[in-house]
Amino acid sequence: MGNTPRKLNRFFLAVLGLVLLVLGLVSLCLPLVPQAQDLWVEYVQPLEEPARAAFDRVAFNTVDGQTSLLTLLFVLLLLLVVIALMMGIIAQKPKKSKTLLSQQDTQTAGRTTISDKFIKQAITDGFESHPDILSVSVSSQELKRSSACSVKLEVRQGADIASLEKRAAQVVAGLDQLLGHKIPLLVRVTGGLRSTFADETQRVR
């Protein structure tokens, strides 16, 4: 449940995986396949001398010896790529929402706004009394068209899944009745159930 560009992420991962796969196949074929060695000698080795000459033409002396301007440009390019990837990761982090519900009053010029603290407290109170739940944490985030809540339940080992599902349904129904509006809600169960009930760890409505 988030606002991340999934299609762009999948495209990037697919391209990266394809490039790594091609490089792996090339490195595997060179020592094992004679035809690949012939292609390397015919097409790649003739480029070594021009490349070395190009590096030598833009070489300059440093404290530790001699380096090439092309090497510095390549390192700078890698640095820019790393910075761009870090900015992309930071940009995809879910944005916290302080207002989960805001509606214009049709009869007056006012607006009704419900903060995330109110809903967090209501959800926490609904789950806290369950005997199998050790702790409840609620976080809110912005989606494309609305705000949503993510609920994390830490439960005891061997907790009753059916009872937890019933309590989650009751909390959701109570929240809908309290607000008169449905808010996207994700309930995530962690703790001793993570390995035993791997398929039951998320309930989305």
Side-chain angles (χ1 to χ4, degrees):
M1 184 175 67
N3 199 17
T4 58
R6 294 182 178 87
K7 293 183 179 179
L8 182 61
N9 290 344
R10 291 170 183 171
F11 174 77
F12 174 76
L13 292 176
V15 172
L16 180 61
L18 183 61
V19 171
L20 293 177
L21 179 62
V22 171
L23 292 177
L25 290 176
V26 170
S27 61
L28 184 64
C29 291
L30 282 177
L32 299 178
V33 182
Q35 291 82 354
Q37 297 175 5
D38 295 338
L39 291 174
W40 180 273
V41 172
E42 182 178 356
Y43 293 103
V44 179
Q45 281 192 351
L47 300 178
E48 292 182 0
E49 286 299 328
R52 188 175 293 109
F55 274 83
D56 292 339
R57 283 196 298 269
V58 292
F60 59 92
N61 295 325
T62 62
V63 178
D64 298 328
Q66 195 177 51
T67 187
S68 173
L69 182 60
L70 295 180
T71 303
L72 295 179
L73 292 177
F74 180 72
V75 173
L76 179 61
L77 178 62
L78 289 180
L79 181 61
L80 292 176
V81 170
V82 171
I83 293 175
L85 291 175
M86 293 180 64
M87 292 178 63
I89 293 173
I90 295 174
Q92 294 185 35
K93 185 178 180 181
K95 296 181 180 179
K96 300 298 182 181
S97 175
K98 295 298 182 182
T99 301
L100 284 181
L101 184 61
S102 181
Q103 290 183 337
Q104 183 71 38
D105 194 332
T106 56
Q107 298 180 351
T108 66
R111 175 176 290 273
T112 302
T113 300
I114 299 178
S115 68
D116 62 327
K117 293 182 179 180
F118 173 80
I119 295 180
K120 287 179 181 180
Q121 189 61 48
I123 294 176
T124 301
D125 292 343
F127 280 109
E128 264 186 346
S129 59
H130 194 285
D132 288 334
I133 297 177
L134 299 176
S135 66
V136 182
S137 59
V138 184
S139 60
S140 56
Q141 63 187 63
E142 293 182 2
L143 299 181
K144 289 183 178 180
R145 298 181 180 178
S146 63
S147 299
C149 273
S150 176
V151 183
K152 179 181 177 182
L153 304 178
E154 185 179 353
V155 300
R156 302 180 188 277
Q157 180 72 34
D160 186 0
I161 287 294
S163 177
L164 289 173
E165 290 181 356
K166 184 178 180 181
R167 176 56 61 87
Q170 292 174 349
V171 171
V172 169
L175 188 63
D176 291 344
Q177 184 177 6
L178 177 65
L179 301 177
H181 181 82
K182 290 186 177 181
I183 294 178
L185 187 68
L186 168 67
V187 179
R188 184 162 53 96
V189 179
T190 63
L193 294 178
R194 183 174 298 176
S195 58
T196 307
F197 299 96
D199 294 333
E200 301 289 338
T201 54
Q202 290 189 347
R203 297 279 177 234
V204 185
R205 69 113 193 231

